[in-house]
Amino acid sequence: MSRAVELALRGRDRTAPNPCVGAVMVLDGHIVAEGYHRYCGGLHAERECIADARSKGVNMTECTMFVTLEPCNHYGKTPPCTEGILEAGIKHIVVGTRDPNPKAAGGLEYLQSKGVKVESGVLEEQCRDLISDFLCWQFSERPYSILKLACTIDGRIAGATGEQEAVSCPESFADVQHLRSIAGAVIVGGNTLREDNPSLTCRLDPLPEGYVQPKAVVVTNSLPEEPDGFTLTSARAAETIFWTNETEAATKTASELKNRGIEIVPLPEGEKGLILEPGFTMLRKKHGVLRTLCEGGGRLALSLIEQGLVDEFVMYQAPRILGNVLGRPNFAGSDRKLIRDATEMRISRVQQSGRDLKIVFKPEGQ
């Protein structure tokens, strides 16, 4: 099942709005065939795995199939995977997690009714994490929200001056480009705009065929009065959106930015600043954005956490120690004083990224 999870992640780039799924065929304790859902509309993982087994002459009647998600039992863009499993003569299925989509669920019961031995709940948390974006799309109106931060061992995303410097290694930088490639919008705070002048584009080389660069979203209570000085408000004006308060959205500066083709979205305010969920909902409903990637800074990152708008937190921890309390922290702005009041996260995945450590967190309870 662990190998099936690895395979599923390979398809994450292109499966939306479908879940990413992996499958392997096992015979006498050895993996003899593999498959994963490669893109929306393509063969599902089970059928990819069955095709791989057929191409290798594997006798599937003697095999066990491990699949991260319950096989579908309905006709969509492809036929039901349950029928493919029965046609292949597979007699034993091990599933990571049940399908939360009522339309596609029921595959295990159907297979059992046909005499197939079924087991479920193997590496269930890992397998459920694979479909956390799918669950967000099914049960909410907003995009799946990924927060990315690169920090030192002591949790600093920049030095005391705020100067733009690389914290993580080149391998982590390249990995972030893959995150940008699956995001329909990249979000930053106003300080990041003013200090870093980012372009927020995906810089994979080559870019995927037909790729469209993500929208650029800036969250700020102070709109830029000299837009020619920023890449987003000059070269990327048509792809740039500002989330700001209602007063700032009614200013002359806002009108001038709109005249450039920039979208200004007024958001309501709460005690701790802008209420961000309406902005996320707008991105999905108006622009069809399924995933967002927030790249900081620390105050925006904390706002997203506190407003329950982080579905996945990807942290690249560089093996460096700044040791200066004036360095920019990865989260900032909380008035909490005790550790017992801290926001709880859980670790979903950990892996090496060049010389860095890549840790993927999920909200506790998700």
Side-chain angles (χ1 to χ4, degrees):
M1 191 64 77
S2 180
R3 175 59 179 166
V5 169
E6 291 177 6
L7 291 167
L9 287 169
R10 290 185 184 180
R12 191 184 189 196
D13 294 5
R14 301 180 62 198
T15 56
N18 287 351
C20 60
V21 183
V24 300
M25 202 91 70
V26 174
L27 178 63
D28 297 330
H30 298 283
I31 293 175
V32 294
E34 299 182 335
Y36 62 95
H37 187 35
R38 296 175 182 271
Y39 59 92
C40 182
L43 290 178
H44 288 187
E46 298 93 324
R47 289 185 177 271
E48 282 273 359
C49 188
I50 289 169
D52 186 39
R54 284 199 177 113
S55 72
K56 296 173 179 175
V58 173
N59 181 1
M60 288 180 276
T61 64
E62 298 179 356
C63 293
T64 297
M65 175 180 278
F66 288 76
V67 60
T68 57
L69 181 65
E70 177 182 12
C72 63
N73 194 40
H74 76 294
Y75 282 87
K77 292 184 178 180
T78 58
C81 289
T82 51
E83 296 297 340
I85 290 166
L86 293 174
E87 290 166 6
I90 300 167
K91 296 181 172 62
H92 187 189
I93 296 288
V94 181
V95 170
T97 189
R98 300 296 298 262
D99 195 324
N101 182 2
K103 184 178 178 181
L108 294 191
E109 287 79 8
Y110 179 73
L111 290 172
Q112 283 180 317
S113 74
K114 297 297 182 179
V116 177
K117 179 182 177 182
V118 171
E119 298 176 65
S120 63
V122 176
L123 296 188
E124 185 166 15
E125 186 173 75
Q126 291 183 40
C127 293
R128 191 171 176 83
D129 283 353
L130 289 173
I131 62 168
S132 55
D133 50 7
F134 178 68
L135 295 176
C136 176
W137 303 326
Q138 288 289 309
F139 301 112
S140 80
E141 296 183 333
R142 62 172 178 80
Y144 183 75
S145 172
I146 303 171
L147 170 65
K148 183 278 300 183
L149 293 172
C151 65
T152 60
I153 292 174
D154 53 329
R156 303 296 160 173
I157 60 176
T161 65
E163 179 182 344
Q164 184 179 14
E165 299 177 281
V167 176
S168 55
C169 67
E171 290 86 352
S172 294
F173 175 83
D175 196 61
V176 170
Q177 301 311 305
H178 282 282
L179 283 178
R180 285 189 181 183
S181 76
I182 68 172
V186 179
I187 305 172
V188 296
N191 285 338
T192 299
L193 172 71
R194 288 182 283 272
E195 294 175 357
D196 297 350
N197 188 21
S199 64
L200 303 185
T201 55
C202 174
R203 281 167 268 180
L204 289 179
D205 187 18
L207 287 168
E209 184 177 352
Y211 180 75
V212 177
Q213 290 287 358
K215 295 282 186 183
V217 179
V218 181
V219 185
T220 181
N221 282 318
S222 179
L223 296 173
E225 297 182 356
E226 298 180 2
D228 288 333
F230 301 102
T231 301
L232 293 183
T233 50
S234 54
R236 296 204 65 204
E239 295 85 39
T240 296
I241 302 169
F242 280 91
W243 292 350
T244 190
N245 62 65
E246 294 179 357
T247 301
E248 189 73 0
T251 61
K252 181 181 178 181
T253 299
S255 297
E256 292 172 350
L257 292 173
K258 289 178 184 178
N259 289 337
R260 288 174 170 255
I262 295 168
E263 188 172 354
I264 307 296
V265 178
L267 296 179
E269 291 185 274
E271 292 182 1
K272 294 186 177 182
L274 294 175
I275 298 172
L276 302 173
E277 187 164 10
F280 281 88
T281 303
M282 177 276 298
L283 285 176
R284 183 169 174 188
K285 288 187 173 180
K286 183 176 181 179
H287 298 290
V289 171
L290 290 175
R291 296 189 186 102
T292 60
L293 175 65
C294 177
E295 299 196 19
R299 289 186 177 275
L300 175 57
L302 185 69
S303 292
L304 290 172
I305 288 285
E306 291 187 333
Q307 293 183 39
L309 293 171
V310 174
D311 300 299
E312 180 176 318
F313 170 34
V314 182
M315 184 176 77
Y316 299 89
Q317 189 173 60
R320 295 167 147 178
I321 298 172
L322 183 65
N324 188 330
V325 295
L326 298 179
R328 303 287 177 86
N330 46 15
F331 295 96
S334 173
D335 55 4
R336 288 173 287 189
K337 296 178 173 62
L338 300 173
I339 295 296
R340 62 173 172 265
D341 297 326
T343 299
E344 298 286 346
M345 305 288 284
R346 66 174 174 84
I347 296 172
S348 176
R349 299 193 306 276
V350 180
Q351 66 190 73
Q352 193 88 18
S353 177
R355 65 194 297 265
D356 301 335
L357 194 62
K358 177 184 177 182
I359 309 173
V360 178
F361 298 92
K362 298 277 190 180
E364 187 66 53
Q366 177 178 303

